Amino acid sequence: MRTEPPVPTKALEAIRAALGPGAESVDAPILQPLGLLLDLAGEAMRARLFVVQAEGGAELCLRPDFTVAVARRHLDGGAASGRYFYEGPAFRAAPGTERPEEFVQMGVEAFAPPSGDGAAADAEIAGLAWRAATAGGRSDLSLWLGDVGLFAAFIESLGLPATLSARLKRVAGRPRLLQAELARAGHVAAPAANQGQLAALLAGRSEGDTAALLEEVWALAGIEPVGGRGPAEIAARLVRRAEAAAAPALGQPEAQAIAAFMAISEPAAAGLARVRGLAGGKAKALTAALAVWDARLTDLARSVPADRMRFAPALGHAFDYYDGLTFEVRSEALGPDRPVAVGGRYDGLLARLGGGPGRAVGCMVRPWRAFAGGEA
């Protein structure tokens, strides 16, 4: 396994100092449940994980990051709010490259009751990531800002049928699936009978019914699943695929508007102005979301130079649990594929992990990338 070189102590301490004040230091098990992480990131993530499995046991993987593990720890503790700092190795395979597969991450995860001020917390955590990244000495950094939730508000402004609108919102963080929707624009949906026997069979069924049907078929065929996804996860994917095949496609004007929205990549204030222009003030939800963004930018301007902030609403991460603000600190020398820091808001993850409503936002910094004498 390729391992990242160590960061000099002075630089490491400077990066750590920017993140740590007021946070409880925590660790996380190196082995994490594979099924949970695949559910959050998709099956395509499997190729980047180091999977381990004892004979007859559940599949596990070396932790690819800390966010999910820290969120689970917070929920287990039962507190309404918490702020946690972590530091340690993470592991991701890098097929076809010479990049390190074991590397150090530092980060902060912050949790609050649902009534908390999300915009202020967003700006604070993104500001922490910026200060930590710049503490490493690089002078070529920029802060890229996106928002999964803004996409949902923009979709509402288009006045689409409810089923189509919901489907588009589900693929907001999955560029390949979203591009497939845009490619179907103007097409008429085929009747279920013309979509193949499986789609016709599943049309109109709930995920629970589909899961039960799969289990019955496996039992009749004598199939014993080993590892991988369970019937509920497979059923959810099959039902969504059947719905997508049967649902009406986007019209060309709406597809062009969505493509223009996803293509925005400009200085932050100019990017938000472009969103306003595309929507034309047609939805209250979008107006409210843009007002929140105005507040975020005002707060961020206290720690990040305005000429270093860019807005790209399509910005996403490997894990699709982000449902609001997303951000990356990028180095011009390293490029967009090797961010120095990443983070964002993931309120919905708490419910997916079995918790109640709440607010959650965090950031992660790669010290070796932040260090001016580090990754090149």
XYZ file of all heavy atoms in Angstrom, residues 121-186:
481
model
N -23.353 28.516 10.581
C -22.495 27.354 10.815
C -21.773 26.939 9.532
O -20.596 26.569 9.554
C -23.326 26.195 11.358
N -22.466 27.004 8.391
C -21.840 26.696 7.107
C -20.622 27.580 6.877
O -19.541 27.112 6.506
C -22.825 26.920 5.962
C -23.928 25.877 5.905
O -23.811 24.850 6.597
O -24.901 26.102 5.170
N -20.824 28.882 7.056
C -19.740 29.831 6.808
C -18.593 29.616 7.787
O -17.418 29.704 7.403
C -20.273 31.260 6.916
N -18.917 29.299 9.023
C -17.865 29.082 10.020
C -16.996 27.879 9.649
O -15.760 27.946 9.674
C -18.474 28.861 11.405
C -17.410 28.636 12.466
C -17.954 28.016 13.744
O -19.159 27.711 13.792
O -17.154 27.820 14.672
N -17.637 26.753 9.294
C -16.885 25.539 8.992
C -16.100 25.689 7.689
O -14.940 25.264 7.592
C -17.820 24.318 8.930
C -18.463 24.066 10.300
C -17.061 23.080 8.474
C -17.473 23.756 11.414
N -16.701 26.298 6.673
C -15.960 26.542 5.439
C -14.785 27.482 5.693
O -13.700 27.302 5.120
C -16.885 27.122 4.368
N -14.986 28.457 6.581
C -13.892 29.350 6.952
C -12.785 28.620 7.685
O -11.591 28.893 7.470
N -13.153 27.680 8.563
C -12.147 26.858 9.247
C -11.314 26.074 8.238
O -10.082 25.992 8.343
C -12.831 25.867 10.199
C -13.278 26.333 11.566
C -13.865 25.151 12.335
C -12.120 26.922 12.344
N -11.994 25.461 7.266
C -11.283 24.686 6.250
C -10.310 25.576 5.484
O -9.174 25.160 5.186
C -12.283 24.034 5.295
N -10.739 26.778 5.155
C -9.870 27.708 4.429
C -8.643 28.072 5.267
O -7.510 28.030 4.768
C -10.659 28.961 4.065
C -9.806 30.028 3.459
C -9.299 31.149 4.074
C -9.331 30.092 2.101
N -8.556 31.891 3.201
C -8.551 31.262 1.981
C -9.492 29.267 0.990
C -7.935 31.629 0.790
C -8.882 29.622 -0.203
C -8.105 30.789 -0.296
N -8.856 28.427 6.544
C -7.731 28.824 7.387
C -6.765 27.665 7.602
O -5.546 27.844 7.616
C -8.245 29.361 8.725
C -8.912 30.723 8.607
C -9.130 31.366 9.965
N -10.138 30.649 10.738
C -11.440 30.901 10.666
N -11.907 31.817 9.827
N -12.282 30.236 11.419
N -7.312 26.449 7.774
C -6.447 25.288 7.961
C -5.638 24.998 6.702
O -4.447 24.684 6.766
C -7.279 24.065 8.340
N -6.275 25.110 5.552
C -5.584 24.847 4.289
C -4.479 25.867 4.054
O -3.364 25.512 3.649
C -6.582 24.847 3.136
N -4.784 27.139 4.304
C -3.777 28.175 4.066
C -2.664 28.126 5.108
O -1.550 28.595 4.842
C -4.415 29.568 4.060
O -5.133 29.778 5.295
C -5.387 29.716 2.898
N -2.938 27.532 6.282
C -1.901 27.422 7.314
C -0.744 26.550 6.866
O 0.353 26.623 7.431
C -2.507 26.869 8.606
N -0.974 25.709 5.858
C 0.093 24.857 5.359
C 1.102 25.587 4.492
O 2.138 25.016 4.138
N 0.803 26.827 4.109
C 1.782 27.631 3.396
C 1.558 27.792 1.906
O 2.274 28.564 1.258
N 0.582 27.094 1.310
C 0.344 27.275 -0.129
C -0.262 28.653 -0.400
O -1.106 29.136 0.361
C -0.598 26.199 -0.659
C 0.036 24.824 -0.798
C -0.892 23.911 -1.578
N -0.372 22.563 -1.716
C 0.412 22.158 -2.717
N 0.767 23.019 -3.664
N 0.832 20.913 -2.777
N 0.124 29.229 -1.528
C -0.386 30.550 -1.894
C -1.293 30.510 -3.122
O -1.710 31.557 -3.617
C 0.783 31.504 -2.175
O 1.589 31.007 -3.234
N -1.591 29.299 -3.617
C -2.370 29.175 -4.867
C -3.759 28.593 -4.621
O -4.322 27.927 -5.482
C -1.610 28.300 -5.867
C -1.445 26.857 -5.382
O -1.619 26.609 -4.168
O -1.158 25.975 -6.221
N -4.348 28.861 -3.451
C -5.607 28.228 -3.069
C -6.818 29.072 -3.451
O -6.755 30.304 -3.499
C -5.629 27.964 -1.561
C -4.526 27.055 -1.017
C -4.665 26.889 0.490
C -4.533 25.706 -1.715
N -7.933 28.391 -3.688
C -9.226 29.040 -3.907
C -10.310 28.195 -3.247
O -10.160 26.974 -3.121
C -9.519 29.222 -5.398
O -9.455 27.982 -6.084
N -11.385 28.846 -2.823
C -12.510 28.170 -2.179
C -13.654 28.054 -3.177
O -14.193 29.065 -3.637
C -12.967 28.950 -0.943
C -14.191 28.383 -0.206
C -13.889 27.009 0.378
C -14.652 29.345 0.891
N -14.009 26.818 -3.517
C -15.113 26.542 -4.450
C -16.346 26.168 -3.648
O -16.292 25.318 -2.754
C -14.723 25.419 -5.408
C -13.705 25.848 -6.417
C -12.398 26.174 -6.179
C -13.908 26.020 -7.815
N -11.776 26.531 -7.348
C -12.681 26.444 -8.371
C -15.010 25.840 -8.659
C -12.518 26.709 -9.727
C -14.851 26.092 -10.015
C -13.623 26.529 -10.536
N -17.472 26.789 -3.989
C -18.715 26.629 -3.239
C -19.806 26.057 -4.140
O -19.964 26.470 -5.291
C -19.177 27.984 -2.693
C -18.189 28.696 -1.764
C -18.517 30.173 -1.678
C -18.196 28.055 -0.386
N -20.552 25.104 -3.610
C -21.695 24.531 -4.316
C -22.848 24.330 -3.345
O -22.747 24.655 -2.166
N -23.953 23.769 -3.838
C -25.113 23.597 -2.966
C -26.083 22.595 -3.585
O -26.740 22.891 -4.588
C -25.826 24.942 -2.763
C -26.906 24.887 -1.692
O -27.234 23.774 -1.228
O -27.414 25.954 -1.315
N -26.168 21.420 -2.981
C -27.108 20.403 -3.444
C -28.543 20.883 -3.242
O -29.419 20.670 -4.084
C -26.869 19.073 -2.699
C -27.891 18.023 -3.127
C -25.451 18.566 -2.959
N -28.805 21.552 -2.125
C -30.149 22.038 -1.834
C -30.612 23.114 -2.800
O -31.800 23.218 -3.109
N -29.677 23.930 -3.294
C -30.046 24.964 -4.247
C -30.543 24.354 -5.551
O -31.436 24.894 -6.201
C -28.848 25.882 -4.515
C -29.131 27.138 -5.330
C -30.111 28.054 -4.604
C -27.833 27.885 -5.635
N -29.973 23.213 -5.931
C -30.443 22.508 -7.124
C -31.915 22.113 -6.951
O -32.727 22.287 -7.861
C -29.594 21.266 -7.378
C -30.042 20.445 -8.554
C -29.683 20.797 -9.844
C -30.836 19.321 -8.378
C -30.107 20.045 -10.936
C -31.261 18.559 -9.457
C -30.891 18.925 -10.747
N -32.261 21.590 -5.778
C -33.651 21.197 -5.527
C -34.583 22.402 -5.638
O -35.669 22.318 -6.221
C -33.770 20.548 -4.151
N -34.159 23.544 -5.078
C -34.994 24.746 -5.158
C -35.105 25.228 -6.600
O -36.178 25.697 -7.030
C -34.398 25.844 -4.275
N -34.043 25.097 -7.369
C -34.087 25.497 -8.779
C -35.040 24.602 -9.570
O -35.814 25.088 -10.405
C -32.681 25.433 -9.383
C -32.624 25.865 -10.823
C -32.695 27.210 -11.157
C -32.507 24.934 -11.837
C -32.656 27.617 -12.486
C -32.471 25.325 -13.165
C -32.539 26.678 -13.494
N -35.009 23.300 -9.288
C -35.920 22.372 -9.966
C -37.370 22.761 -9.671
O -38.231 22.735 -10.563
C -35.639 20.926 -9.523
C -34.280 20.454 -10.060
C -36.738 19.983 -10.005
C -34.165 20.434 -11.567
N -37.665 23.141 -8.435
C -39.025 23.557 -8.089
C -39.455 24.772 -8.898
O -40.643 24.930 -9.225
C -39.111 23.849 -6.594
C -39.055 22.608 -5.711
C -39.211 22.954 -4.237
O -39.678 24.079 -3.940
O -38.853 22.110 -3.403
N -38.512 25.640 -9.219
C -38.863 26.858 -9.964
C -39.282 26.570 -11.400
O -39.861 27.435 -12.066
C -37.666 27.823 -9.974
O -36.661 27.405 -10.889
N -39.012 25.340 -11.899
C -39.320 25.008 -13.289
C -40.744 24.511 -13.487
O -41.189 24.328 -14.619
C -38.337 23.944 -13.799
C -36.858 24.343 -13.783
C -36.000 23.187 -14.263
C -36.623 25.578 -14.639
N -41.481 24.245 -12.397
C -42.874 23.817 -12.503
C -43.048 22.467 -13.160
O -44.007 22.260 -13.913
N -42.169 21.514 -12.860
C -42.229 20.181 -13.467
C -43.251 19.307 -12.761
O -43.628 19.579 -11.612
C -40.849 19.516 -13.372
C -39.703 20.247 -14.069
C -38.372 19.604 -13.706
C -39.902 20.246 -15.577
N -43.719 18.217 -13.405
C -44.573 17.251 -12.707
C -43.882 16.737 -11.450
O -42.642 16.596 -11.420
C -44.758 16.129 -13.737
C -44.546 16.792 -15.058
C -43.513 17.848 -14.833
N -44.660 16.429 -10.416
C -44.088 16.072 -9.111
C -43.149 14.875 -9.196
O -42.080 14.866 -8.576
C -45.215 15.796 -8.115
N -43.543 13.827 -9.965
C -42.698 12.635 -10.033
C -41.374 12.925 -10.730
O -40.321 12.450 -10.306
C -43.422 11.497 -10.781
O -43.846 11.979 -12.078
C -44.629 11.015 -9.995
N -41.410 13.721 -11.774
C -40.189 14.077 -12.491
C -39.302 14.966 -11.629
O -38.081 14.787 -11.559
C -40.546 14.787 -13.802
C -39.376 15.274 -14.673
C -38.453 14.117 -15.021
C -39.909 15.954 -15.930
N -39.920 15.924 -10.941
C -39.172 16.806 -10.052
C -38.457 16.011 -8.957
O -37.275 16.228 -8.679
C -40.119 17.830 -9.425
O -39.450 18.650 -8.498
N -39.175 15.048 -8.340
C -38.584 14.241 -7.268
C -37.423 13.407 -7.791
O -36.398 13.245 -7.115
C -39.653 13.338 -6.645
N -37.578 12.872 -9.006
C -36.522 12.030 -9.568
C -35.257 12.848 -9.848
O -34.140 12.406 -9.588
C -37.020 11.350 -10.842
C -36.120 10.216 -11.296
C -36.749 9.385 -12.404
N -36.701 10.064 -13.687
C -37.762 10.543 -14.320
N -38.964 10.420 -13.778
N -37.638 11.134 -15.490
N -35.427 14.057 -10.354
C -34.280 14.916 -10.628
C -33.551 15.306 -9.341
O -32.325 15.347 -9.297
C -34.733 16.170 -11.378
C -35.168 15.949 -12.833
C -35.880 17.186 -13.353
C -33.963 15.609 -13.701
N -34.316 15.579 -8.295
C -33.695 15.937 -7.019
C -32.870 14.780 -6.469
O -31.826 14.988 -5.843
C -34.763 16.347 -6.003
C -35.461 17.657 -6.332
C -36.586 17.925 -5.345
C -37.386 19.151 -5.734
N -38.523 19.399 -4.809
N -33.326 13.543 -6.711
C -32.595 12.380 -6.198
C -31.241 12.220 -6.864
O -30.319 11.646 -6.268
C -33.416 11.100 -6.392
C -34.534 10.905 -5.387
C -34.935 9.439 -5.294
N -35.449 8.938 -6.553
C -36.743 8.904 -6.876
N -37.639 9.360 -6.035
N -37.137 8.408 -8.029
N -31.100 12.680 -8.101
C -29.831 12.482 -8.807
C -28.976 13.754 -8.801
O -28.000 13.841 -9.543
C -30.066 12.006 -10.260
C -30.813 10.695 -10.272
C -30.800 13.052 -11.093
N -29.310 14.695 -7.937
C -28.597 15.975 -7.914
C -27.096 15.790 -7.743
O -26.296 16.478 -8.372
C -29.145 16.860 -6.796
N -26.686 14.861 -6.872
C -25.268 14.657 -6.606
C -24.647 13.563 -7.442
O -23.522 13.128 -7.147
N -25.331 13.109 -8.487
C -24.818 12.013 -9.321
C -24.808 12.473 -10.783
O -25.784 12.290 -11.514
C -25.685 10.771 -9.147
C -25.693 10.268 -7.703
C -26.460 8.993 -7.545
N -26.377 8.496 -6.185
C -26.892 7.335 -5.781
N -27.534 6.569 -6.649
N -26.770 6.948 -4.534
N -23.721 13.089 -11.203
C -23.670 13.704 -12.542
C -24.039 12.751 -13.671
O -24.705 13.157 -14.622
C -22.206 14.168 -12.646
C -21.770 14.361 -11.234
C -22.496 13.311 -10.442
N -23.606 11.489 -13.598
C -23.888 10.554 -14.685
C -25.390 10.336 -14.844
O -25.926 10.339 -15.966
C -23.183 9.221 -14.424
C -23.361 8.191 -15.549
C -22.630 6.911 -15.212
N -23.103 6.311 -13.977
C -24.194 5.549 -13.895
N -24.925 5.313 -14.966
N -24.555 5.027 -12.733
N -26.102 10.164 -13.726
C -27.549 9.944 -13.787
C -28.277 11.207 -14.236
O -29.262 11.143 -14.974
C -28.061 9.483 -12.420
C -27.525 8.136 -11.924
C -28.096 7.817 -10.554
C -27.865 7.025 -12.914
N -27.795 12.359 -13.784
C -28.421 13.608 -14.202
C -28.235 13.826 -15.700
O -29.174 14.242 -16.405
C -27.841 14.779 -13.419
C -28.421 16.162 -13.758
C -29.928 16.187 -13.557
C -27.750 17.239 -12.935
N -27.055 13.534 -16.220
C -26.821 13.683 -17.656
C -27.725 12.753 -18.462
O -28.168 13.099 -19.556
C -25.347 13.399 -17.982
C -24.396 14.498 -17.539
C -24.749 15.844 -18.148
O -25.096 15.946 -19.325
N -24.679 16.893 -17.328
N -28.005 11.564 -17.914
C -28.919 10.643 -18.594
C -30.320 11.250 -18.687
O -31.010 11.109 -19.710
C -28.954 9.303 -17.869
N -30.748 11.928 -17.620
C -32.058 12.595 -17.654
C -32.072 13.707 -18.702
O -33.043 13.864 -19.445
C -32.392 13.174 -16.275
C -32.660 12.147 -15.201
C -33.991 11.437 -15.394
O -34.785 11.862 -16.262
O -34.234 10.460 -14.681
N -31.010 14.477 -18.760
C -30.948 15.565 -19.739
C -30.934 15.010 -21.162
O -31.522 15.607 -22.076
C -29.708 16.429 -19.488
C -29.650 17.160 -18.146
C -28.381 17.982 -18.043
C -30.865 18.041 -17.946
N -30.260 13.862 -21.334
C -30.188 13.260 -22.673
C -31.547 12.768 -23.150
O -31.792 12.672 -24.361
C -29.179 12.112 -22.669
N -32.459 12.431 -22.209
C -33.794 11.945 -22.583
C -34.753 13.080 -22.932
O -35.885 12.847 -23.311
C -34.415 11.163 -21.413
C -33.751 9.843 -21.092
C -34.474 9.174 -19.917
N -35.857 8.855 -20.233
C -36.899 9.092 -19.445
N -36.729 9.687 -18.295
N -38.117 8.747 -19.804
N -34.307 14.311 -22.781
C -35.199 15.466 -22.941
C -35.951 15.410 -24.262
O -35.374 15.174 -25.321
C -34.402 16.762 -22.854
N -37.258 15.611 -24.162
C -38.097 15.629 -25.342
C -38.598 14.277 -25.775
O -39.471 14.184 -26.644
